[in-house]
């Protein structure tokens, strides 16, 4: 069960990678960011698929998207000059708390 959750976490980190590369690809007009997007997306979906063999789909999917959303927002603020605001930081914190709660609630699996 722990390995399945580890796969979800890594898949969520890869989701951050594919979201960032999607932006950097400028509509798939830049070769290397487009290739990186495809690699991150395949890895992310592949690991999520493997994790769903053991985990309930609702909590696993929510954790995956939560990690991706929070990771992408944080990356954007640090490296892409996205606007930083108190509301944005509080909202990201709430997403992270929600991800932790969903992970804890979804530990039953199959």
């Amino acid at each position: 069960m722990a390995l399945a959750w580890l796969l979800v976490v890594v898949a969520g980190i890869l989701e951050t990678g594919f979201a960032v590369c999607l932006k950097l690809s400028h509509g798939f007009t830049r070769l290397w960011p487009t290739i990186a997007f495809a690699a991150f997306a395949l890895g992310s979906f592949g690991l999520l698929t493997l994790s769903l063999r053991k985990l309930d789909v609702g909590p696993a999917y929510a954790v995956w998207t939560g990690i991706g959303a929070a990771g992408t927002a944080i990356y954007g603020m640090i490296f892409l000059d996205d606007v930083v605001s108190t509301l944005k930081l509080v909202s990201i914190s709430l997403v992270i708390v929600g991800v932790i709660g969903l992970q804890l609630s979804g530990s039953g699996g199959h």
Side-chain angles (χ1 to χ4, degrees):
M1 191 66 61
L3 178 59
W5 279 114
L6 178 62
L7 293 177
V8 173
V9 169
V10 174
I13 293 167
L14 293 176
E15 184 188 1
T16 296
F18 83 66
V20 170
C21 289
L22 185 60
K23 177 175 177 58
L24 298 177
S25 77
H26 290 263
F28 301 124
T29 62
R30 293 186 174 167
L31 179 63
W32 292 113
T34 298
I35 290 170
F37 161 80
F40 282 126
L42 286 171
S44 181
F45 285 112
L47 292 177
L48 180 63
T49 299
L50 291 174
S51 74
L52 291 176
R53 292 179 178 172
K54 298 282 184 190
L55 301 175
D56 292 338
V57 68
Y61 185 77
V63 168
W64 176 70
T65 58
I67 291 170
T72 302
I74 292 166
Y75 185 94
M77 288 186 291
I78 294 171
F79 298 107
L80 301 176
D81 296 324
D82 287 358
V83 174
V84 179
S85 69
T86 302
L87 181 57
K88 189 180 280 189
L89 294 173
V90 168
S91 298
I92 291 168
S93 299
L94 291 171
V95 168
I96 292 169
V97 168
V99 163
I100 292 168
L102 283 166
Q103 191 279 332
L104 294 173
S105 76
S107 60
H110 298 6

